[in-house]
PDB file of all heavy atoms in Angstrom:
ATOM      1  N   GLU A   6     120.773 101.774  83.285  1.00  0.00           N
ATOM      2  CA  GLU A   6     120.252 100.597  82.585  1.00  0.00           C
ATOM      3  C   GLU A   6     119.188  99.888  83.418  1.00  0.00           C
ATOM      4  O   GLU A   6     118.111  99.545  82.912  1.00  0.00           O
ATOM      5  CB  GLU A   6     121.396  99.628  82.252  1.00  0.00           C
ATOM      6  CG  GLU A   6     120.945  98.417  81.454  1.00  0.00           C
ATOM      7  CD  GLU A   6     122.092  97.505  81.058  1.00  0.00           C
ATOM      8  OE1 GLU A   6     123.263  97.883  81.263  1.00  0.00           O
ATOM      9  OE2 GLU A   6     121.800  96.405  80.557  1.00  0.00           O
ATOM     10  N   GLU A   7     119.481  99.673  84.697  1.00  0.00           N
ATOM     11  CA  GLU A   7     118.513  98.965  85.538  1.00  0.00           C
ATOM     12  C   GLU A   7     117.272  99.814  85.801  1.00  0.00           C
ATOM     13  O   GLU A   7     116.141  99.312  85.785  1.00  0.00           O
ATOM     14  CB  GLU A   7     119.147  98.543  86.864  1.00  0.00           C
ATOM     15  CG  GLU A   7     118.216  97.679  87.694  1.00  0.00           C
ATOM     16  CD  GLU A   7     118.873  97.090  88.935  1.00  0.00           C
ATOM     17  OE1 GLU A   7     120.114  97.175  89.068  1.00  0.00           O
ATOM     18  OE2 GLU A   7     118.136  96.544  89.764  1.00  0.00           O
ATOM     19  N   VAL A   8     117.471 101.101  86.028  1.00  0.00           N
ATOM     20  CA  VAL A   8     116.324 101.981  86.272  1.00  0.00           C
ATOM     21  C   VAL A   8     115.437 102.049  85.028  1.00  0.00           C
ATOM     22  O   VAL A   8     114.204 101.971  85.118  1.00  0.00           O
ATOM     23  CB  VAL A   8     116.792 103.389  86.706  1.00  0.00           C
ATOM     24  CG1 VAL A   8     115.637 104.378  86.680  1.00  0.00           C
ATOM     25  CG2 VAL A   8     117.421 103.331  88.095  1.00  0.00           C
ATOM     26  N   SER A   9     116.049 102.163  83.851  1.00  0.00           N
ATOM     27  CA  SER A   9     115.271 102.208  82.612  1.00  0.00           C
ATOM     28  C   SER A   9     114.493 100.914  82.405  1.00  0.00           C
ATOM     29  O   SER A   9     113.336 100.937  81.955  1.00  0.00           O
ATOM     30  CB  SER A   9     116.188 102.474  81.419  1.00  0.00           C
ATOM     31  OG  SER A   9     116.767 103.757  81.499  1.00  0.00           O
ATOM     32  N   ALA A  10     115.113  99.788  82.732  1.00  0.00           N
ATOM     33  CA  ALA A  10     114.428  98.496  82.602  1.00  0.00           C
ATOM     34  C   ALA A  10     113.247  98.413  83.563  1.00  0.00           C
ATOM     35  O   ALA A  10     112.177  97.885  83.216  1.00  0.00           O
ATOM     36  CB  ALA A  10     115.404  97.354  82.860  1.00  0.00           C
ATOM     37  N   LEU A  11     113.424  98.923  84.757  1.00  0.00           N
ATOM     38  CA  LEU A  11     112.332  98.939  85.728  1.00  0.00           C
ATOM     39  C   LEU A  11     111.193  99.845  85.251  1.00  0.00           C
ATOM     40  O   LEU A  11     110.013  99.485  85.336  1.00  0.00           O
ATOM     41  CB  LEU A  11     112.861  99.399  87.090  1.00  0.00           C
ATOM     42  CG  LEU A  11     111.880  99.462  88.266  1.00  0.00           C
ATOM     43  CD1 LEU A  11     111.098  98.170  88.420  1.00  0.00           C
ATOM     44  CD2 LEU A  11     112.644  99.794  89.551  1.00  0.00           C
ATOM     45  N   GLU A  12     111.549 101.008  84.700  1.00  0.00           N
ATOM     46  CA  GLU A  12     110.531 101.903  84.139  1.00  0.00           C
ATOM     47  C   GLU A  12     109.758 101.212  83.014  1.00  0.00           C
ATOM     48  O   GLU A  12     108.537 101.339  82.922  1.00  0.00           O
ATOM     49  CB  GLU A  12     111.184 103.172  83.600  1.00  0.00           C
ATOM     50  CG  GLU A  12     111.654 104.136  84.661  1.00  0.00           C
ATOM     51  CD  GLU A  12     112.304 105.371  84.053  1.00  0.00           C
ATOM     52  OE1 GLU A  12     113.229 105.218  83.226  1.00  0.00           O
ATOM     53  OE2 GLU A  12     111.887 106.479  84.406  1.00  0.00           O
ATOM     54  N   GLN A  13     110.477 100.493  82.164  1.00  0.00           N
ATOM     55  CA  GLN A  13     109.835  99.789  81.054  1.00  0.00           C
ATOM     56  C   GLN A  13     108.852  98.742  81.568  1.00  0.00           C
ATOM     57  O   GLN A  13     107.732  98.612  81.049  1.00  0.00           O
ATOM     58  CB  GLN A  13     110.899  99.130  80.168  1.00  0.00           C
ATOM     59  CG  GLN A  13     110.354  98.383  78.961  1.00  0.00           C
ATOM     60  CD  GLN A  13     109.700  99.303  77.943  1.00  0.00           C
ATOM     61  OE1 GLN A  13     109.973 100.495  77.908  1.00  0.00           O
ATOM     62  NE2 GLN A  13     108.809  98.745  77.127  1.00  0.00           N
ATOM     63  N   ARG A  14     109.267  98.005  82.582  1.00  0.00           N
ATOM     64  CA  ARG A  14     108.378  96.997  83.173  1.00  0.00           C
ATOM     65  C   ARG A  14     107.109  97.640  83.730  1.00  0.00           C
ATOM     66  O   ARG A  14     106.007  97.125  83.567  1.00  0.00           O
ATOM     67  CB  ARG A  14     109.118  96.235  84.279  1.00  0.00           C
ATOM     68  CG  ARG A  14     108.265  95.197  84.987  1.00  0.00           C
ATOM     69  CD  ARG A  14     109.091  94.303  85.881  1.00  0.00           C
ATOM     70  NE  ARG A  14     109.633  94.987  87.037  1.00  0.00           N
ATOM     71  CZ  ARG A  14     108.970  95.188  88.180  1.00  0.00           C
ATOM     72  NH1 ARG A  14     107.708  94.783  88.298  1.00  0.00           N
ATOM     73  NH2 ARG A  14     109.550  95.783  89.202  1.00  0.00           N
ATOM     74  N   LEU A  15     107.269  98.795  84.369  1.00  0.00           N
ATOM     75  CA  LEU A  15     106.115  99.486  84.944  1.00  0.00           C
ATOM     76  C   LEU A  15     105.194 100.039  83.853  1.00  0.00           C
ATOM     77  O   LEU A  15     103.981 100.098  84.041  1.00  0.00           O
ATOM     78  CB  LEU A  15     106.600 100.626  85.861  1.00  0.00           C
ATOM     79  CG  LEU A  15     107.341 100.189  87.131  1.00  0.00           C
ATOM     80  CD1 LEU A  15     107.984 101.388  87.811  1.00  0.00           C
ATOM     81  CD2 LEU A  15     106.400  99.464  88.084  1.00  0.00           C
ATOM     82  N   ARG A  16     105.799 100.428  82.716  1.00  0.00           N
ATOM     83  CA  ARG A  16     104.968 100.906  81.597  1.00  0.00           C
ATOM     84  C   ARG A  16     104.180  99.764  80.966  1.00  0.00           C
ATOM     85  O   ARG A  16     103.018  99.912  80.603  1.00  0.00           O
ATOM     86  CB  ARG A  16     105.846 101.569  80.528  1.00  0.00           C
ATOM     87  CG  ARG A  16     106.217 103.016  80.822  1.00  0.00           C
ATOM     88  CD  ARG A  16     106.787 103.702  79.597  1.00  0.00           C
ATOM     89  NE  ARG A  16     108.031 103.100  79.152  1.00  0.00           N
ATOM     90  CZ  ARG A  16     109.241 103.463  79.593  1.00  0.00           C
ATOM     91  NH1 ARG A  16     109.359 104.431  80.475  1.00  0.00           N
ATOM     92  NH2 ARG A  16     110.328 102.863  79.136  1.00  0.00           N
ATOM     93  N   GLU A  17     104.840  98.611  80.844  1.00  0.00           N
ATOM     94  CA  GLU A  17     104.196  97.469  80.193  1.00  0.00           C
ATOM     95  C   GLU A  17     103.112  96.846  81.064  1.00  0.00           C
ATOM     96  O   GLU A  17     102.125  96.316  80.549  1.00  0.00           O
ATOM     97  CB  GLU A  17     105.251  96.422  79.830  1.00  0.00           C
ATOM     98  CG  GLU A  17     106.192  96.874  78.719  1.00  0.00           C
ATOM     99  CD  GLU A  17     107.336  95.905  78.491  1.00  0.00           C
ATOM    100  OE1 GLU A  17     107.444  94.909  79.257  1.00  0.00           O
ATOM    101  OE2 GLU A  17     108.124  96.138  77.554  1.00  0.00           O
ATOM    102  N   ALA A  18     103.309  96.881  82.357  1.00  0.00           N
ATOM    103  CA  ALA A  18     102.325  96.328  83.289  1.00  0.00           C
ATOM    104  C   ALA A  18     102.130  97.322  84.424  1.00  0.00           C
ATOM    105  O   ALA A  18     102.662  97.140  85.522  1.00  0.00           O
ATOM    106  CB  ALA A  18     102.796  94.978  83.816  1.00  0.00           C
ATOM    107  N   PRO A  19     101.408  98.407  84.160  1.00  0.00           N
ATOM    108  CA  PRO A  19     101.256  99.453  85.170  1.00  0.00           C
ATOM    109  C   PRO A  19     100.633  98.910  86.457  1.00  0.00           C
ATOM    110  O   PRO A  19      99.585  98.256  86.405  1.00  0.00           O
ATOM    111  CB  PRO A  19     100.322 100.462  84.497  1.00  0.00           C
ATOM    112  CG  PRO A  19     100.411 100.165  83.034  1.00  0.00           C
ATOM    113  CD  PRO A  19     100.662  98.700  82.933  1.00  0.00           C
ATOM    114  N   PRO A  20     101.281  99.142  87.591  1.00  0.00           N
ATOM    115  CA  PRO A  20     100.700  98.684  88.849  1.00  0.00           C
ATOM    116  C   PRO A  20      99.516  99.565  89.224  1.00  0.00           C
ATOM    117  O   PRO A  20      99.478 100.748  88.868  1.00  0.00           O
ATOM    118  CB  PRO A  20     101.843  98.871  89.855  1.00  0.00           C
ATOM    119  CG  PRO A  20     102.657  99.993  89.275  1.00  0.00           C
ATOM    120  CD  PRO A  20     102.557  99.839  87.785  1.00  0.00           C
ATOM    121  N   PRO A  21      98.534  99.007  89.904  1.00  0.00           N
ATOM    122  CA  PRO A  21      97.421  99.853  90.349  1.00  0.00           C
ATOM    123  C   PRO A  21      97.914 100.871  91.368  1.00  0.00           C
ATOM    124  O   PRO A  21      98.843 100.605  92.129  1.00  0.00           O
ATOM    125  CB  PRO A  21      96.453  98.855  90.987  1.00  0.00           C
ATOM    126  CG  PRO A  21      97.304  97.678  91.359  1.00  0.00           C
ATOM    127  CD  PRO A  21      98.387  97.610  90.341  1.00  0.00           C
ATOM    128  N   ALA A  22      97.329 102.052  91.341  1.00  0.00           N
ATOM    129  CA  ALA A  22      97.676 103.049  92.361  1.00  0.00           C
ATOM    130  C   ALA A  22      97.278 102.518  93.733  1.00  0.00           C
ATOM    131  O   ALA A  22      96.397 101.667  93.855  1.00  0.00           O
ATOM    132  CB  ALA A  22      96.957 104.356  92.069  1.00  0.00           C
ATOM    133  N   GLY A  23      97.959 103.010  94.754  1.00  0.00           N
ATOM    134  CA  GLY A  23      97.587 102.641  96.108  1.00  0.00           C
ATOM    135  C   GLY A  23      98.292 101.418  96.653  1.00  0.00           C
ATOM    136  O   GLY A  23      97.874 100.847  97.657  1.00  0.00           O
ATOM    137  N   GLN A  24      99.396 100.993  96.008  1.00  0.00           N
ATOM    138  CA  GLN A  24     100.190  99.904  96.566  1.00  0.00           C
ATOM    139  C   GLN A  24     101.226 100.471  97.542  1.00  0.00           C
ATOM    140  O   GLN A  24     101.378 101.687  97.684  1.00  0.00           O
ATOM    141  CB  GLN A  24     100.860  99.109  95.446  1.00  0.00           C
ATOM    142  CG  GLN A  24      99.875  98.314  94.599  1.00  0.00           C
ATOM    143  CD  GLN A  24     100.577  97.343  93.666  1.00  0.00           C
ATOM    144  OE1 GLN A  24     101.161  97.739  92.676  1.00  0.00           O
ATOM    145  NE2 GLN A  24     100.518  96.063  93.992  1.00  0.00           N
ATOM    146  N   VAL A  25     101.949  99.570  98.202  1.00  0.00           N
ATOM    147  CA  VAL A  25     103.028  99.979  99.102  1.00  0.00           C
ATOM    148  C   VAL A  25     104.339  99.854  98.344  1.00  0.00           C
ATOM    149  O   VAL A  25     104.738  98.753  97.944  1.00  0.00           O
ATOM    150  CB  VAL A  25     103.071  99.115 100.376  1.00  0.00           C
ATOM    151  CG1 VAL A  25     104.227  99.547 101.272  1.00  0.00           C
ATOM    152  CG2 VAL A  25     101.749  99.220 101.132  1.00  0.00           C
ATOM    153  N   ALA A  26     105.010 100.974  98.107  1.00  0.00           N
ATOM    154  CA  ALA A  26     106.263 100.979  97.358  1.00  0.00           C
ATOM    155  C   ALA A  26     107.419 100.627  98.278  1.00  0.00           C
ATOM    156  O   ALA A  26     107.648 101.299  99.288  1.00  0.00           O
ATOM    157  CB  ALA A  26     106.490 102.350  96.745  1.00  0.00           C
ATOM    158  N   PHE A  27     108.137  99.569  97.947  1.00  0.00           N
ATOM    159  CA  PHE A  27     109.369  99.201  98.635  1.00  0.00           C
ATOM    160  C   PHE A  27     110.518  99.680  97.753  1.00  0.00           C
ATOM    161  O   PHE A  27     110.683  99.227  96.621  1.00  0.00           O
ATOM    162  CB  PHE A  27     109.415  97.691  98.869  1.00  0.00           C
ATOM    163  CG  PHE A  27     108.500  97.233  99.973  1.00  0.00           C
ATOM    164  CD1 PHE A  27     107.135  97.097  99.738  1.00  0.00           C
ATOM    165  CD2 PHE A  27     108.988  96.969 101.244  1.00  0.00           C
ATOM    166  CE1 PHE A  27     106.279  96.694 100.755  1.00  0.00           C
ATOM    167  CE2 PHE A  27     108.141  96.568 102.262  1.00  0.00           C
ATOM    168  CZ  PHE A  27     106.778  96.428 102.020  1.00  0.00           C
ATOM    169  N   TYR A  28     111.302 100.595  98.274  1.00  0.00           N
ATOM    170  CA  TYR A  28     112.262 101.358  97.468  1.00  0.00           C
ATOM    171  C   TYR A  28     113.633 101.264  98.114  1.00  0.00           C
ATOM    172  O   TYR A  28     113.757 101.122  99.330  1.00  0.00           O
ATOM    173  CB  TYR A  28     111.787 102.817  97.434  1.00  0.00           C
ATOM    174  CG  TYR A  28     112.526 103.740  96.496  1.00  0.00           C
ATOM    175  CD1 TYR A  28     112.710 103.426  95.160  1.00  0.00           C
ATOM    176  CD2 TYR A  28     113.017 104.962  96.954  1.00  0.00           C
ATOM    177  CE1 TYR A  28     113.357 104.292  94.294  1.00  0.00           C
ATOM    178  CE2 TYR A  28     113.653 105.848  96.100  1.00  0.00           C
ATOM    179  CZ  TYR A  28     113.828 105.502  94.771  1.00  0.00           C
ATOM    180  OH  TYR A  28     114.477 106.365  93.915  1.00  0.00           O
TER     181      TYR A  28
END
Side-chain angles (χ1 to χ4, degrees):
E6 183 177 352
E7 186 172 349
V8 168
S9 295
L11 181 50
E12 286 180 307
Q13 181 66 22
R14 178 169 69 84
L15 293 170
R16 278 194 297 271
E17 291 173 356
Q24 291 190 286
V25 179
F27 285 79
Y28 188 52

